Amino acid sequence: MADIKTFYLPDLGEGLPDATIVEWHVKEGDQIKLDAPLVSMETAKAVVDVPSPYTGKVTKLHGAAGDVIDTGAALAEFEPDPNAKQRAEAESTGHHHGPKKAAAAEPKKVTASDEGGEIETSNGNAEREDEGTVVGAMVSGSHVHVEQTSSVGGVKAVPAVRALAKKLKVDITRVRGTGADGVVTMQDVKNAAANGNAALGAAPARVVPASAGRHLAPELPQPEAARTPVSLAGKPVRTAPPSVHASGQPEQLKGVRRNMARVMAEAHANVVPTTLVDDADLHAWIGKQDITARLIRAIVAACKAVPALNAWFDGKNLTRTLHPHVDIGIAVDTEDGLFVPALRNADMLDGAGVRTGIQRLRAQVEDRTIPSSELSGYTISLSNFGMFAGRYATPVVVPPCVAIIGAGKLSHDVVAVMGGIEVHRRMPISVTFDHRAATGGEAARFLKALLDNLSAPN
């Protein structure tokens, strides 16, 4: 009787409870080699290629594209080739399996090699577990990094590119790769979808030139001096309707939305929020200015004046960490969901540096090449929801951060001045903070410093 081995889904991040199947790279009955791409899985923040733990025959696949698999649950079964060199079953991998099912056999530990390389190099993994952290796939002496380039079906592409091609109904085998060594990029797939020259089931067509449609980041300045739209909890508001089908049936949350639901529930249960609101008077502004850059500059000034809100709070141990630097969580919207990368060292950037940093983060998120270290560790957040509607809000503070700033919709208000009235352009500002970590007086002084900075002419 053949010796069948069961492979259990490892933890693809820091304690992530599950992942969603994006695409199987094999089918039952196929032969596969050790470390060859087995399946692409979507976690809360990235698409990860999971390599095969064996050389041999794939006898069973547990789940189809779109299914959510719990960490530690059976993912695939193999009949290892007895004549091929296999990795030692007792070899430590460094990754963790979730709770095993009652009827499941003891999982065999496997590792994966470090071939393919990273698209973007991380600046290091955060020590703590935080919302948005994805540190890699399966770990041994080295990492199998998120977003590896792998060759499947003769096509070199990262998992996110394959997922996009499937979503846009593009036959990736007919897309000419313009990346290094012929790697198919996100833009290659988008170009093919826009030109309709590689549709699934269509006749072969001429590949679009590599130079077409290169630019991904938004042009600046935008209306109202380039505001970056975000929702409550430091999350962005969509600028286009989502690509979903309203079937009237319950839809299981997956990937980014699934993680957001968990994070918001945890934040709601563990924070004591209080909100102060006021209006920033922009009447003295000279010329057209980048509103997001001005907001970030004002937040930095307020953090320097009142460090208590540029902090982390540990509610379990009742400890507070004040930060000398200012890393601001800036939301970026994608069709797949909401991301909050950190604009690092915002206190060292001028207006042009702020806008360049935001564009870079947006482009990296859109391509799913953003390093995991960029998705955590911010010290304070900005929710710029007023791009569309809303004046005041109570945005959600996500631990360990102490505060989040909400910027509402600009308006022209009648203002009483000495000797009469004037019409001034004003921006509603809301500061929501964890009252366990900061006093009302600290929050009020923070808000005043922010408003004073915003009222300056330039």
Side-chain angles (χ1 to χ4, degrees):
M1 183 176 178
D3 184 18
I4 302 298
K5 301 290 186 182
T6 301
F7 177 49
Y8 300 85
L9 178 66
D11 182 355
L12 301 179
E14 293 185 350
L16 295 175
D18 52 45
T20 303
I21 297 174
V22 175
E23 177 186 13
W24 286 104
H25 299 311
V26 295
K27 60 182 182 296
E28 292 180 1
D30 282 356
Q31 295 291 326
I32 193 169
K33 292 184 178 181
L34 177 69
D35 291 333
L38 174 67
V39 62
S40 293
M41 305 289 296
E42 182 179 16
T43 67
K45 295 294 179 185
V47 179
V48 180
D49 250 355
V50 178
S52 172
Y54 300 103
T55 293
K57 181 180 178 181
V58 179
T59 60
K60 185 175 180 61
L61 302 177
H62 292 268
D67 288 350
V68 176
I69 305 297
D70 292 335
T71 299
L75 185 61
E77 295 177 17
F78 300 84
E79 182 182 328
D81 184 348
N83 299 316
K85 183 178 180 180
Q86 307 285 355
R87 185 169 286 112
E89 293 181 0
E91 186 176 340
S92 176
T93 68
H95 66 262
H96 303 283
H97 291 274
K100 290 180 281 290
K101 306 301 177 184
E106 189 71 13
K108 308 302 181 183
K109 293 187 176 182
V110 298
T111 61
S113 65
D114 189 21
E115 299 177 357
E118 290 183 332
I119 297 300
E120 293 290 337
T121 302
S122 171
N123 293 323
N125 296 324
E127 292 293 331
R128 62 185 179 78
E129 183 175 337
D130 186 56
E131 185 256 333
T133 300
V134 179
V135 296
M138 300 160 61
V139 183
S140 59
S142 58
H143 292 281
V144 170
H145 298 287
V146 173
E147 296 296 336
Q148 285 186 305
T149 298
S150 58
S151 180
V152 179
V155 177
K156 294 180 181 179
V158 299
V161 171
R162 297 181 187 280
L164 178 65
K166 186 173 183 180
K167 187 173 187 177
L168 298 180
K169 295 184 174 14
V170 169
D171 184 351
I172 197 169
T173 63
R174 296 169 52 208
V175 177
R176 180 170 64 87
T178 62
D181 298 323
V183 172
V184 177
T185 67
M186 282 278 190
Q187 195 59 47
D188 295 334
V189 172
K190 290 178 181 179
N191 291 341
N195 289 275
N197 57 12
L200 287 172
R206 180 177 59 86
V207 177
V208 68
S211 59
R214 281 282 186 189
H215 191 60
L216 291 179
E219 293 290 346
L220 293 168
Q222 298 172 351
E224 284 292 357
R227 299 188 72 179
T228 302
V230 296
S231 73
L232 306 186
K235 308 292 184 179
V237 179
R238 291 187 178 276
T239 56
S243 299
V244 298
H245 300 285
S247 62
Q249 298 298 318
E251 178 186 3
Q252 187 176 52
L253 296 182
K254 300 172 184 176
V256 179
R257 290 186 181 276
R258 190 179 184 88
N259 186 64
M260 185 178 70
R262 293 192 185 106
V263 170
M264 293 299 102
E266 182 179 356
H268 181 71
N270 292 291
V271 172
V272 181
T274 303
T275 301
L276 297 180
V277 300
D278 208 329
D279 296 297
D281 195 317
L282 314 183
H283 187 65
W285 280 19
I286 299 175
K288 191 174 184 180
Q289 299 191 38
D290 186 327
I291 294 177
T292 299
R294 286 297 304 265
L295 277 167
I296 289 174
R297 190 186 80 176
I299 291 171
V300 168
C303 288
K304 295 300 183 183
V306 187
L309 273 71
N310 185 47
W312 289 343
F313 181 70
D314 183 342
K316 182 178 180 181
N317 298 308
L318 296 180
T319 60
R320 184 180 66 166
T321 303
L322 303 182
H323 298 285
H325 59 281
V326 183
D327 292 345
I328 302 179
I330 301 294
V332 176
D333 182 38
T334 74
E335 193 169 307
D336 295 323
L338 310 175
F339 294 74
V340 186
L343 183 66
R344 303 291 182 193
N345 299 311
D347 49 319
M348 305 296 291
L349 301 176
D350 58 11
V354 166
R355 181 48 57 183
T356 298
I358 291 175
Q359 286 180 312
R360 174 183 59 82
L361 293 172
R362 180 185 296 277
Q364 287 182 330
V365 165
E366 201 168 313
D367 280 353
R368 300 296 284 272
T369 60
I370 189 165
S372 60
S373 59
E374 298 276 18
L375 295 170
S376 63
Y378 41 87
T379 61
I380 195 167
S381 301
L382 169 63
S383 173
N384 196 350
F385 58 85
M387 180 69 179
F388 297 111
R391 289 181 60 81
Y392 307 103
T394 55
V396 178
V397 178
V398 177
C401 287
V402 167
I404 182 170
I405 289 79
K409 184 178 180 181
L410 292 177
S411 62
H412 288 83
D413 300 332
V414 175
V415 177
V417 297
M418 186 175 296
I421 60 172
E422 294 179 353
V423 176
H424 289 192
R425 188 169 65 151
R426 301 202 299 177
M427 182 192 303
I429 298 292
S430 305
V431 175
T432 299
F433 64 101
D434 189 337
H435 213 326
R436 298 173 303 169
T439 68
E442 288 169 329
R445 289 191 292 273
F446 180 96
L447 177 57
K448 183 179 186 305
L450 192 153
L451 297 177
D452 287 347
N453 191 276
L454 280 173
S455 68
N458 51 40

